[in-house]
Amino acid sequence: MIDNIKRHAVFDGSGNQFSSEDGVAHNGGGKKSNSGWPLSHASSKVNRIYYLALAVILVFMGLGLAFILYCSEVSKEDTVGYIQGATQQITFALEQHVKDEFQTLMASATAAEDENPLAESATIRNLIKGMGEYNSYVAIGLADSSGQALWRDIYGRQHHSDMSGEDFIQQALTGKNTLTSPRLDTVSGLEVNYYAVPIYLTGSDKIKGALFVADQEDKLRNIVEHSLYAGLGLAHIINRNGDYVIESKSSLATMVTLGGGIFNLRIPWDTAMEKRIRDDLANGRSGRVEKDFYGQNRLIAYAPLKINDWYVFYAVPENMVSAGLKSLTIGAVVIISVAVALFILFIVLIRQANNQSRQSLETLAFVDPLTQKRNYQKFLLEGTELLRVNKGTRYALCYSDIKGFRYINGLFGRAVGDHLLCYWADFLDEITYPGEVFGRMGADVFVSLRKYRTRQEIEARVAGASSRLAVFPETLARGYKVEAYSGIYVIDDSDEGLSLSAMLDRAISAHKMAKAQDNGDRLRFYSHEMGVQKLWEAEVEAKMEAALEHNEFNIYLQPKIDIQHDDRIMGAEALVRWVSPEKGVIAPKDFIKLFEHNGFIVKLDRFVFEAACRYYNDSVIKCGLPPYVLSVNVSRLSLMQPDFVRIYQNIKERYSIPDKCLELEFTESLVFENHALFRSIVRECQHSGFLCSLDDFGAGYSALNLLRSIHVDVLKLDGLFFQVDDEEERGCKLVENIVSMAKSLGMKTVAEGVHAESMVKQLRAMGCEAVQGNVFAEPMPAEEFQAFVEVWNGYRTAINYII
Ligand code: C2E
Ligand code: CA
Ligand code: CA
């Protein structure tokens, strides 16, 4: 992950590597890309699946609904079919019954053809009696053509009465079989229907009288109501006006009717519907309607009877008829609902699982695996959002790293290094207030966006965070004080439109400065000058390749004076200078660090090395200058090139430089970085005829005990030792110890950056072999060196200090 972040940082930071202590990717973090692409891609894929699932649910529900509608339609059709069938059945049964009745009467009438209806003959009496008893009529009688009747009541009593006024007698006497509407039989108190048929004279069509019976109204009602559902339906016989002829006695009928006829209901008909029914009835048509009675839909059918102007009026609850189908429909609804619910549950579960995997992806993408805090990617996202939302709030962007972190790893072990990072990350998290954000950028670099009111306040907070490092128990216990460098960029209103990573570049510039100056507080605010520095760097980067091609890089030489042997010149160090046609001589401090960052140093070192060899060949081999040791600087990156030794050896051989005349100066920091590798390279270099020295010894984190296992030829004591200060006394003691220890290990010592004669004396007394410093000579153009040597040594052969 750190590698990924680095790549990102390089893009964002215009070529700046964010970590000064790079290469410490020791947390072995995730391997996933940090870019947001996989997540958004995954989420759009997930969304597509959800849409698909939703579409499936909708289609499923649609199909289910269609099926239910279909079922209810089928159910309705069934109901309609049923009611039509039932109406037909009733009609048929009624008509059949009436027909049978008439046939019976007509048969009896035939028997009475030869008799006088009123003559009370045995035949007539038997006929009346038989019919009365056999057919359980309420009354039975015969009338002559004048309407005088002889009849028998329900109790078997005979009566003579004038019935000429009765409509059914009159009808029968005109030759019509007649059935009346129910009327009250005063003898029995029952509602009865009268049936009457004509009696013909034997062998003629002349009517001589009528035969009539009164039959209980209930007989017809029973036929009509035979197929009703437990009072939930109703069946009336009505006439064409809608008046009841035989009114249903079902509970529904009682509930809905106000009496009299079907148009007199408690819940009136819809006007259009009533009109339709009236029309149908008036015109002898059958029909079918639906009406809601007390929340239940009734299917109603009416059909004309071939009896008088009568109609059968029949109503059933819709759901009763198709109860089976209804329950099937309900079953289907339940099954569909359960299936949809299960499907939704399934989707929810998938979603949950998805969220979980999304969370773990986010963790991979946004959480630093070592500290479990935000990584750089997340910091950028959240920080950008904070700045967007909290316009008007003062923010400072802080970029911090731990001083000499890789040495801490080297000295205390990686586990301690990891603990230190977690320890600091926890603390930084602790002091991150709402509206602020911090994250780990990688290695030992932490970035934070903090609110502030005054510069002093932010300074105090950053210093406070750094001071926390000093009390890290695992290093404190061994007397080591951990410190941090911080670069701060104060964001102001004019930064609108500047990206967070661009602001971070500025914090990094400030951080670089803090590091370069390395004074007490190790904290710098970004300033305009740093911007200028950045511009300078950009210019250098743009010109470096061309400058190398055009030989703008020259070597200067600084002599090394053998202070133990009459201050003779025993060697020189080749130091590069950029002689620019526009800017004049540019010192290494203005470009070496940058080249070390951008990798150009490898080319430059090789170039300087070759120039040094060429010069040596010219001056010593060709021009007879006494042999001396010429040293060149080798940067960490150059040394790390896989074929480093072979390339340098080839160049050395090409210029025929004898063994032990070239010295390679390696910086001290390499020893800590990869001790084993350093040792093996040193051995290889020595094997190839190079001398090796450890440069800047004492400037950083030199551990004297490490020296025992590194067999360099020369130890170059850093100029810091020889800066005159209050601790001069202590410094001297230290140098003395180092010199004697180096001697005991078979190493020469060269003191660098010595200004004062008095110091030379002291060094000589300590046994230090040589001094390279302005006290004797400043670095000079190579062309001047030969003349310098000649003057200095007075043409004497330099003493070979190597032996
Ligand atoms: P260095 O390798 O430690 O070289 C010694 C530096 O100390 C030189 O600085 C030299 O001019 C300076 N110096 C020597 N005596 C005195 C003194 O008495 N007082 C003061 N103030 N300075 C003194 P210079 O030439 O500016 O080089 C600076 C650094 O740049 C070198 O430090 C070396 O690390 C780097 N450098 C120079 N040339 C090359 C090169 O070709 N390759 C690489 N990789 N680095 C180079
Ligand atoms: Ca050097
Ligand atoms: Ca040095």
Side-chain angles (χ1 to χ4, degrees):
M1 176 170 284
I2 286 181
D3 283 341
N4 280 327
I5 296 172
K6 267 187 186 166
R7 231 173 289 135
H8 198 94
V10 167
F11 292 137
D12 285 347
S14 334
N16 283 313
Q17 268 179 294
F18 62 85
S19 172
S20 54
E21 315 281 357
D22 56 336
V24 199
H26 53 89
N27 55 13
K31 295 169 185 68
K32 291 261 174 188
S33 160
N34 276 337
S35 97
W37 182 81
L39 279 186
S40 62
H41 184 254
S43 87
S44 77
K45 205 170 162 184
V46 167
N47 279 344
R48 244 182 290 143
I49 292 173
Y50 290 140
Y51 289 138
L52 198 73
L54 199 71
V56 169
I57 291 180
L58 286 177
V59 167
F60 199 63
M61 284 173 74
L63 286 176
L65 209 70
F67 178 69
I68 291 164
L69 285 176
Y70 169 75
C71 284
S72 87
E73 205 49 45
V74 167
S75 143
K76 197 165 237 174
E77 274 171 25
D78 261 30
T79 314
V80 169
Y82 166 83
I83 195 162
Q84 276 172 346
T87 317
Q88 266 173 12
Q89 218 178 322
I90 295 167
T91 314
F92 179 77
L94 272 175
E95 286 172 352
Q96 194 60 42
H97 175 79
V98 172
K99 196 172 155 196
D100 287 353
E101 288 294 333
F102 280 130
Q103 262 172 6
T104 309
L105 289 185
M106 274 151 59
S108 303
T110 312
E113 273 177 11
D114 296 331
E115 303 292 329
N116 179 353
L118 305 176
E120 288 192 54
S121 62
T123 314
I124 294 293
R125 238 184 290 124
N126 285 341
L127 179 77
I128 292 175
K129 189 172 176 232
M131 282 175 73
E133 285 167 4
Y134 196 73
N135 291 321
S136 63
Y137 293 126
V138 174
I140 178 165
L142 291 149
D144 64 10
S145 54
S146 64
Q148 297 304 310
L150 167 70
W151 60 280
R152 180 188 147 101
D153 67 19
I154 195 163
Y155 305 113
R157 295 176 304 209
Q158 295 212 11
H159 304 270
H160 283 275
S161 50
D162 178 6
M163 292 182 82
S164 58
E166 297 292 347
D167 55 347
F168 57 90
I169 296 291
Q170 287 167 7
Q171 294 283 331
L173 289 177
T174 60
K176 278 184 194 159
N177 291 349
T178 305
L179 170 62
T180 67
S181 300
R183 55 193 67 179
L184 187 67
D185 174 56
T186 46
V187 178
S188 63
L190 296 169
E191 286 288 329
V192 295
N193 297 95
Y194 283 94
Y195 292 80
V197 296
I199 305 169
Y200 293 93
L201 269 176
T202 317
S204 89
D205 53 1
K206 206 165 167 242
I207 296 165
K208 65 179 231 185
L211 176 64
F212 65 91
V213 292
D215 203 6
Q216 274 190 50
E217 179 204 30
D218 280 349
K219 279 197 186 160
L220 289 182
R221 181 179 290 109
N222 286 344
I223 294 169
V224 172
E225 292 194 335
H226 176 70
S227 44
L228 286 185
Y229 287 100
L232 289 166
L234 60 80
H236 304 296
I237 296 175
I238 55 172
N239 63 22
R240 291 197 173 189
N241 296 324
D243 303 330
Y244 299 131
V245 174
I246 295 175
E247 188 184 353
S248 170
K249 286 193 171 153
S250 79
S251 53
L252 174 68
T254 334
M255 196 163 72
V256 300
T257 190
L258 286 171
I262 58 160
F263 297 115
N264 192 21
L265 303 182
R266 286 181 205 279
I267 301 162
W269 294 94
D270 170 85
T271 327
M273 200 180 281
E274 180 174 334
K275 185 173 177 308
R276 202 178 108 200
I277 299 170
R278 281 189 190 278
D279 272 5
D280 283 347
L281 294 184
N283 293 301
R285 288 190 298 259
S286 56
R288 187 170 60 73
V289 289
E290 285 174 35
K291 179 165 168 58
D292 192 82
F293 285 116
Y294 304 110
Q296 236 185 15
N297 202 33
R298 313 280 159 167
L299 294 177
I300 296 161
Y302 45 89
L305 286 165
K306 288 181 196 137
I307 305 164
N308 304 332
D309 61 348
W310 292 0
Y311 261 82
V312 169
F313 183 92
Y314 187 72
V316 278
E318 184 190 343
N319 59 356
M320 280 303 295
V321 180
S322 51
L325 211 59
K326 269 275 156 62
S327 50
L328 195 76
T329 311
I330 290 167
V333 170
V334 168
I335 289 170
I336 290 168
S337 308
V338 168
V340 167
L342 283 177
F343 199 69
I344 289 171
L345 186 75
F346 182 61
I347 295 287
V348 167
L349 288 178
I350 289 181
R351 209 187 164 92
Q352 270 175 358
N354 230 303
N355 279 346
Q356 274 167 6
S357 69
R358 197 189 162 82
Q359 265 168 12
S360 46
L361 259 182
E362 279 190 6
T363 305
L364 270 179
F366 294 134
V367 177
D368 172 56
L370 177 72
T371 60
Q372 295 301 310
K373 310 292 181 214
R374 286 174 203 82
N375 65 10
Y376 177 56
Q377 189 72 19
K378 185 76 173 157
F379 170 80
L380 276 186
L381 286 174
E382 284 189 19
T384 305
E385 184 61 10
L386 276 183
L387 292 180
R388 193 184 65 78
V389 172
N390 300 326
K391 286 208 173 83
T393 306
R394 286 178 164 192
Y395 273 110
L397 186 60
C398 180
Y399 177 102
S400 308
D401 73 353
I402 295 170
K403 185 182 175 189
F405 182 67
R406 66 164 173 263
Y407 307 120
I408 294 171
N409 268 337
L411 288 170
F412 298 94
R414 288 198 167 173
V416 173
D418 283 354
H419 291 168
L420 175 61
L421 292 175
C422 293
Y423 165 86
W424 206 32
D426 286 344
F427 182 69
L428 290 174
D429 199 19
E430 225 172 84
I431 58 163
T432 300
Y433 303 130
E436 301 184 341
V437 64
F438 106 97
R440 181 180 177 215
M441 197 160 164
D444 57 327
V445 178
F446 292 91
V447 279
S448 45
L449 193 60
R450 308 252 180 239
K451 292 197 258 190
Y452 79 103
R453 276 164 301 204
T454 60
R455 273 185 176 235
Q456 286 77 2
E457 182 190 324
I458 195 77
E459 220 167 305
R461 280 186 73 186
V462 172
S466 304
S467 64
R468 181 71 170 207
L469 284 172
V471 292
F472 176 57
E474 288 171 65
T475 46
L476 191 67
R478 288 165 66 180
Y480 186 96
K481 190 179 160 203
V482 185
E483 289 169 306
Y485 291 112
S486 297
I488 300 165
Y489 178 65
V490 170
I491 301 169
D492 63 40
D493 299 342
S494 64
D495 289 335
E496 193 129 350
L498 201 66
S499 73
L500 188 58
S501 57
M503 296 179 195
L504 203 61
D505 275 352
R506 297 185 175 180
I508 292 171
S509 297
H511 175 267
K512 259 194 198 166
M513 205 52 80
K515 210 158 192 174
Q517 294 175 347
D518 200 4
N519 52 11
D521 54 5
R522 300 194 171 81
L523 178 155
R524 277 288 158 277
F525 281 90
Y526 175 83
S527 67
H528 173 67
E529 291 68 41
M530 294 175 193
V532 173
Q533 169 69 17
K534 243 193 127 57
L535 285 177
W536 161 255
E537 288 179 356
E539 193 183 343
V540 167
E541 285 200 310
K543 291 184 173 164
M544 61 192 185
E545 295 276 2
L548 192 68
E549 257 175 49
H550 301 146
N551 281 321
E552 289 177 22
F553 291 102
N554 293 350
I555 57 165
Y556 275 45
L557 299 180
Q558 186 175 34
K560 292 174 186 171
I561 307 299
D562 184 342
I563 55 171
Q564 301 297 342
H565 297 94
D566 306 329
D567 293 347
R568 289 169 197 174
I569 296 171
M570 44 149 316
E573 178 176 4
L575 296 156
V576 73
R577 297 287 180 269
W578 182 348
V579 184
S580 153
E582 305 122 41
K583 300 196 188 287
V585 180
I586 307 168
K589 69 170 173 38
D590 292 329
F591 55 85
I592 291 289
K593 272 248 148 54
L594 179 63
F595 290 174
E596 280 173 345
H597 278 307
N598 66 20
F600 188 66
I601 195 70
V602 177
K603 278 189 186 174
L604 184 68
D605 274 356
R606 229 171 262 179
F607 177 87
V608 169
F609 177 68
E610 187 159 359
C613 289
R614 196 181 308 115
Y615 177 73
Y616 197 89
N617 182 287
D618 283 350
S619 60
V620 178
I621 299 172
K622 290 191 182 135
C623 298
L625 195 73
Y628 60 98
V629 176
L630 183 56
S631 67
V632 290
N633 291 286
V634 179
S635 274
R636 177 186 154 272
L637 212 58
S638 301
L639 188 76
M640 292 298 183
Q641 301 304 304
D643 45 2
F644 161 73
V645 182
R646 190 182 52 78
I647 291 172
Y648 273 52
Q649 193 187 0
N650 284 347
I651 298 172
K652 173 176 165 277
E653 281 169 9
R654 199 180 323 137
Y655 289 96
S656 317
I657 317 286
D659 284 354
K660 299 196 173 181
C661 288
L662 290 174
E663 183 180 309
L664 302 176
E665 297 191 4
F666 303 120
T667 44
E668 179 203 36
S669 58
L670 269 170
V671 185
F672 295 97
E673 239 176 78
N674 194 334
H675 194 231
L677 179 73
F678 185 76
R679 257 181 21 192
S680 88
I681 291 178
V682 165
R683 224 179 293 130
E684 229 185 306
C685 289
Q686 288 169 334
H687 189 71
S688 303
F690 292 105
L691 294 169
C692 294
S693 58
L694 199 56
D695 204 356
D696 302 335
F697 187 81
Y701 309 86
S702 316
L704 282 174
N705 55 344
L706 279 182
L707 279 182
R708 291 181 203 283
S709 54
I710 297 162
H711 303 287
V712 289
D713 304 282
V714 181
L715 204 59
K716 293 191 76 179
L717 305 180
D718 194 80
L720 274 177
F721 284 118
F722 314 110
Q723 282 170 3
V724 183
D725 61 18
D726 298 344
E727 291 189 282
E728 200 176 350
E729 194 60 30
R730 242 187 93 212
C732 274
K733 266 262 148 314
L734 191 60
V735 172
E736 196 172 353
N737 281 334
I738 295 171
V739 169
S740 77
M741 189 172 141
K743 205 180 276 294
S744 71
L745 291 169
M747 297 176 197
K748 312 278 180 199
T749 40
V750 176
E752 276 191 308
V754 179
H755 291 93
E757 272 295 340
S758 57
M759 184 57 74
V760 177
K761 266 192 206 142
Q762 285 185 40
L763 286 164
R764 190 176 286 125
M766 287 173 198
C768 172
E769 268 78 17
V771 164
Q772 177 191 340
N774 293 357
V775 66
F776 290 121
E778 288 181 23
M780 61 196 80
E783 313 80 80
E784 295 173 17
F785 185 69
Q786 198 166 345
F788 176 83
V789 175
E790 283 162 5
V791 171
W792 187 275
N793 281 351
Y795 295 101
R796 279 184 298 148
T797 310
I799 295 165
N800 185 346
Y801 77 99
I802 305 145
I803 304 172

